[in-house]
Amino acid sequence: MYDYLIVGAGLFGSIFAHQAKKRGKSVLVVDKRQHVGGNLYCQDEEGINIHKYGPHVFHTANIEVWDYINDFVSFNNFQYSPMALYQGWMYNLPCNMNTLNKLWSVVNPEEARARLESQRVHYEKPLNLEEQALSIYGKDIYEKLVKDFAEKLTGTPCEKLPPIAALGALLPLRYTYDNRYHTDTWQGIPVGGYNPLFDNLLSGIALKLDTDFFENRDQLTSMAHRVVYTGNIDQYFDYRFGSLDYYGLYYEHELVNTRNHQGTAVIFYTGKEVPYTRIIEHKHFERGRQPITIVTHEYPASTKKGGEPCYPVKDSENHNRYIKYRELADAEAGVIFGGRLSDYTLYSMEQTFINALALVKNELAG
Ligand SMILES: Cc1cc2nc3c(=O)[nH]c(=O)nc-3n(C[C@H](O)[C@H](O)[C@H](O)COP(=O)(O)OP(=O)(O)OC[C@H]3O[C@@H](n4cnc5c(N)ncnc54)[C@H](O)[C@@H]3O)c2cc1C
């Protein structure tokens, strides 16, 4: 009999497992995948760490989170500065003075603000993503960097998509020549990729991979006093209110016989002329010097089968459905629900650390 069964060896489950073991609790971790690390898992190909479930860059301004993660790994100070390609033109993302200079030949922030202001459309209360984006970014940025990309990702016209709660944080607009996506004090990729983080978090902990909780539910549940569940909340309750929708992604990895394919880690393809949303060249995350390279095309899941659930569809229908599942979860004795799939929320890694450590404090105090 274990103290805790932890369903999911992703970031949330692994932090909880480590902390529980540290406090003398016995823990069994199971994951349906053949590896630990959840969506942070890196696959080594030709000495290059492939971010198998999409590019992941750690960033935080929280000293406690930074100190905590540095007990397990050190970082390479990689600064994420992606580009966007639209009709043959490369633009810096997020939108900054370099982007605005390329769009409008403006040179200083004052000119840029004036030009943007002349393009903005003012809505009292934007009713959809198109109105929201036009009111924040104006016509040019909306058409070149937002519209086609959002429609490709979601399969829905922007005028039918709801406004996004944190659009300004997802696609910041900055009047500086700073090309970094994240402005947090600390950022980077763990030296050697993300796998060493999980090897260290889960060191000495009982682990069963290739084990789907739902295929052995009764048996696994009977093996522990309490369960920490980090899988999909709708699946736990047999989809009784219907399934929670996600925009999914699908990745195709390819070895290319050249040293440097695109000159940067991530390029967003914001036009509809290609079906993929991004190309990722993994070696740039770790400044790799291999003679070959590995690139990944990221597709919206609807274009391929077997996409991973990535971005929750936060429309009112899904939100209301989630609230009903949450009520069931809160009433479920002996089970703690946590992580991005249980909370139906896209958390950053930093937020996942904060949430998991808060749960530890609550659950394992003393
Ligand atoms: C495309 C994308 C890019 C991102 N990029 C960044 C970034 O650059 N920086 C950043 O800070 N954050 C990023 N994130 C967020 C980051 O991925 C999450 O914060 C983190 O993965 C959350 O960890 P988790 O443990 O909650 O979930 P997950 O990593 O999804 O782990 C859940 C685990 O549970 C397992 N599981 C599920 N169901 C079962 C079952 N029935 N039985 C057994 N096991 C099960 C899964 O196999 C998985 O291993 C990104 C997210 C996405 C989708």
Side-chain angles (χ1 to χ4, degrees):
M1 198 71 181
Y2 292 92
D3 291 314
Y4 289 97
L5 167 73
I6 298 174
V7 180
L11 191 57
F12 191 95
S14 300
I15 296 167
F16 185 87
H18 180 85
Q19 291 295 321
K21 176 168 183 276
K22 206 169 142 187
R23 287 164 169 76
K25 304 293 180 192
S26 57
V27 175
L28 170 63
V29 178
V30 300
D31 202 294
K32 64 182 179 185
R33 291 176 175 166
Q34 286 170 352
H35 57 74
V36 297
N39 276 9
L40 307 187
Y41 172 70
C42 292
Q43 186 171 309
D44 180 343
E45 291 281 341
E46 309 279 334
I48 297 172
N49 283 313
I50 303 173
H51 295 206
K52 203 173 168 210
Y53 303 96
H56 278 80
V57 181
F58 182 79
H59 58 98
T60 185
N62 181 316
I63 183 77
E64 281 172 33
V65 170
W66 182 242
D67 284 348
Y68 183 82
I69 194 169
N70 273 273
D71 281 349
F72 303 98
V73 278
S74 53
F75 281 83
N76 71 359
N77 197 32
F78 172 83
Q79 311 280 308
Y80 185 41
S81 309
M83 302 295 294
L85 183 62
Y86 183 79
Q87 295 187 349
W89 290 88
M90 290 289 258
Y91 299 98
N92 291 90
L93 273 190
C95 299
N96 63 38
M97 284 302 299
N98 283 314
T99 324
L100 303 179
N101 172 265
K102 182 137 303 156
L103 277 171
W104 302 323
S105 302
V106 291
V107 172
N108 64 52
E110 204 177 319
E111 280 177 274
R113 274 183 207 279
R115 185 64 185 260
L116 188 103
E117 196 51 47
S118 73
Q119 296 222 340
R120 287 178 63 209
V121 185
H122 296 275
Y123 296 93
E124 214 162 276
K125 187 169 187 271
L127 295 177
N128 54 50
L129 181 57
E130 176 167 285
E131 292 184 0
Q132 182 188 28
L134 282 171
S135 69
I136 300 177
Y137 307 110
K139 183 171 171 296
D140 287 349
I141 295 175
Y142 170 63
E143 286 179 356
K144 292 181 196 311
L145 300 179
V146 178
K147 184 178 190 303
D148 288 1
F149 184 81
E151 294 184 352
K152 204 156 60 166
L153 187 68
T154 62
T156 308
C158 281
E159 61 270 26
K160 295 229 165 86
L161 287 168
I164 297 176
L167 184 59
L170 269 181
L171 181 59
L173 177 58
R174 301 189 187 118
Y175 295 97
T176 64
Y177 282 96
D178 183 351
N179 285 332
R180 295 171 310 154
Y181 193 94
H182 305 295
T183 51
D184 286 340
T185 324
W186 299 288
Q187 45 191 299
I189 305 288
V191 173
Y194 287 92
N195 297 0
L197 169 64
F198 291 90
D199 294 343
N200 291 334
L201 281 169
L202 294 171
S203 167
I205 287 174
L207 180 65
K208 276 176 182 277
L209 295 175
D210 220 351
T211 302
D212 191 322
F213 175 68
F214 296 105
E215 286 172 12
N216 309 275
R217 186 173 185 153
D218 292 340
Q219 191 215 346
L220 286 169
T221 308
S222 72
M223 289 170 73
H225 297 294
R226 279 169 79 67
V227 175
V228 175
Y229 177 80
T230 74
N232 296 80
I233 192 167
D234 50 358
Q235 189 178 13
Y236 186 91
F237 294 107
D238 294 325
Y239 305 101
R240 79 175 69 161
F241 306 124
S243 57
L244 293 168
D245 299 324
Y246 282 87
Y247 300 122
L249 294 172
Y250 175 89
Y251 294 99
E252 271 183 5
H253 311 289
E254 182 193 355
L255 189 149
V256 182
N257 208 359
T258 180
R259 273 187 181 274
N260 185 3
H261 178 69
Q262 64 180 18
T264 190
V266 178
I267 298 181
F268 286 72
Y269 282 74
T270 57
K272 280 196 180 147
E273 60 279 8
V274 292
Y276 39 86
T277 45
R278 295 191 281 190
I279 296 184
I280 299 130
E281 187 175 8
H282 303 269
K283 70 190 301 183
H284 294 297
F285 287 122
E286 299 183 64
R287 304 175 189 100
R289 300 172 66 86
Q290 298 82 355
I292 52 85
T293 192
I294 307 228
V295 298
T296 295
H297 289 71
E298 177 189 77
Y299 293 89
S302 56
T303 65
K304 302 267 173 181
K305 286 197 175 141
E308 287 292 324
C310 289
Y311 308 117
V313 177
K314 288 263 172 165
D315 58 12
S316 55
E317 204 176 306
N318 280 286
H319 177 73
N320 293 340
R321 209 173 282 153
Y322 168 68
I323 298 296
K324 289 193 196 165
Y325 283 121
R326 195 73 231 177
E327 281 165 6
L328 290 184
D330 290 345
E332 184 81 350
V335 183
I336 302 161
F337 294 80
R340 69 179 189 105
L341 297 168
S342 267
D343 290 356
Y344 192 53
T345 300
L346 179 68
Y347 293 127
S348 65
M349 289 183 258
E350 175 197 58
Q351 194 58 50
T352 305
F353 270 97
I354 292 170
N355 294 349
L357 292 173
L359 170 64
V360 168
K361 260 195 195 152
N362 211 18
E363 174 75 11
L364 301 168

